[in-house]
Amino acid sequence: MNGGPSGFYNAPVTRAFVVASGLFTVFFGIQGRSSKLGLSYLDIFGKFRLWKLIVSIFAFSSTPELMFGLYLLYYFRVFERQIGSNKYSVFILYTITVSLLFEILALAILKDPAVNLVTSGPYGLIFASFVPFFFDIPVSTRFRVFGVRFSDKSFIYLAGLQLLLSSWKRSILPGIFGIICGSLYHLNVFCIRKAKFPEFVASFLSRLSWSSMGTPPAAPSRNVVGNAPPFTARQVERNIPSSMPSATEPMEDSIATLVSMGFDRNSAGQALVQARNDITVATNILLEAQAH
């Protein structure tokens, strides 16, 4: 299992967030202030160090956390490809904001004078992403190791477990809050899944992310499923005989699988309809559209 095409193709928001997280972590690491990152009761309610709230969104407090965190953020770019950069930006803003509120509430309730009770890093976003990962990403392969059953998703869960336990109590708390945020988003509380930024805001964020990272990469030219670029619905329709009867609504798992390969969601849905939910046939339809 992979997150679709390599790199940040069709995932500019993820790219900007990953780079920002890496730069913040390196910056504080060079200054030798990584150990001072995180949130405590005195930081928020005593000395009012509100800048720590902003830093805690991006910067990890150690190199192992940075490695596992950036790997998971990079993998979860598949969700931006599925729902689009606009809605994914809403997802990021929602999970970060709500998880921070939970962390502040926990600090207020516990009133623990310990330094850095909550570790720093985008734990809310990362662990909120495990909820759609569990529900929306299908298992493609299963295997056994010493009699224990695993799937291709197991490696992502193991990386998440390592990150969750990286700072023990300090990392478990924000991890749990992230899972709660992801569950609230999945349950569509307050219709959050329908929320979108205005088009001018989405356009500005997209241009900002690309201008800071450089021009977007060109689409791969090889006819490889894992590297196939998205196609418009018209391209798919042009390569499908009009006499072919339509099928029932495409299965969401099948759409998610095709989207994770890099195909456009609308094109994937139309191809599945024409292929009667046969994912192999739908893939061939999309690849044929690429050839034309």
Side-chain angles (χ1 to χ4, degrees):
M1 181 184 64
N2 54 53
S6 60
F8 293 97
Y9 182 77
N10 267 358
V13 176
T14 301
R15 180 178 183 172
F17 196 95
V18 166
V19 171
S21 182
L23 289 177
F24 267 86
T25 305
V26 171
F27 175 77
F28 283 94
I30 292 176
Q31 292 188 335
R33 301 171 61 185
S34 297
S35 60
K36 298 180 181 180
L37 296 178
L39 300 177
S40 67
Y41 179 81
L42 292 177
D43 286 332
I44 306 302
F45 300 100
K47 300 179 181 179
F48 299 104
R49 293 174 176 172
L50 299 182
W51 62 270
K52 276 199 167 186
L53 289 175
I54 300 175
V55 173
S56 67
I57 294 174
F58 298 101
F60 291 95
S61 58
S62 68
T63 301
E65 291 177 70
L66 175 67
M67 294 174 58
F68 283 101
L70 292 190
Y71 169 73
L72 291 170
L73 286 172
Y74 175 75
Y75 176 83
F76 288 143
R77 74 198 187 283
V78 64
F79 299 128
E80 181 176 356
R81 292 170 176 166
Q82 286 182 346
I83 64 179
S85 297
N86 191 319
K87 286 190 174 182
Y88 190 69
S89 299
V90 174
F91 176 76
I92 291 178
L93 180 62
Y94 171 79
T95 54
I96 286 176
T97 303
V98 176
S99 62
L100 273 180
L101 291 176
F102 277 131
E103 291 174 13
I104 293 173
L105 180 61
L107 292 174
I109 294 175
L110 296 175
K111 295 183 179 180
D112 193 329
V115 178
N116 301 338
L117 180 63
V118 177
T119 191
S120 178
Y123 280 76
L125 171 60
I126 292 173
F127 285 94
S129 299
F130 272 99
V131 177
F133 176 74
F134 176 80
F135 287 103
D136 300 335
I137 301 297
V139 173
S140 58
T141 58
R142 298 181 185 274
F143 55 93
R144 288 179 177 270
V145 178
F146 300 113
V148 181
R149 295 183 61 183
F150 292 92
S151 74
D152 52 337
K153 297 175 66 173
S154 300
F155 298 104
I156 305 299
Y157 287 125
L158 290 175
L161 181 62
Q162 173 64 36
L163 183 62
L164 183 68
L165 301 178
S166 58
S167 296
W168 194 227
K169 294 180 180 180
R170 296 173 59 239
S171 55
I172 290 178
L173 200 60
I176 292 175
F177 292 149
I179 294 174
I180 293 175
C181 293
S183 301
L184 293 175
Y185 185 89
H186 181 76
L187 294 173
N188 200 23
V189 176
F190 302 121
C191 298
I192 185 62
R193 298 179 69 174
K194 296 181 180 179
K196 295 179 65 176
F197 285 117
E199 287 304 321
F200 73 92
V201 176
S203 177
F204 171 76
L205 292 176
S206 178
R207 292 175 183 175
L208 181 63
S209 62
W210 281 124
S211 63
S212 60
M213 301 302 117
T215 56
S221 58
R222 293 184 301 166
N223 288 346
V224 180
V225 173
N227 293 307
F231 308 100
T232 62
R234 291 183 180 179
Q235 284 179 295
V236 176
E237 291 174 349
R238 186 169 62 245
N239 290 277
I240 300 174
S242 58
S243 59
M244 184 180 293
S246 61
T248 58
E249 288 296 318
M251 298 174 60
E252 189 62 33
D253 286 352
S254 300
I255 293 178
T257 300
L258 290 175
V259 169
S260 69
M261 295 177 182
F263 296 112
D264 176 71
R265 183 179 179 85
N266 293 332
S267 301
Q270 291 202 15
L272 284 168
V273 168
Q274 300 298 333
R276 296 182 179 276
N277 279 322
D278 188 318
I279 194 169
T280 302
V281 175
T283 302
N284 291 334
I285 290 174
L286 293 167
L287 290 176
E288 184 182 351
Q290 177 191 18
H292 290 76

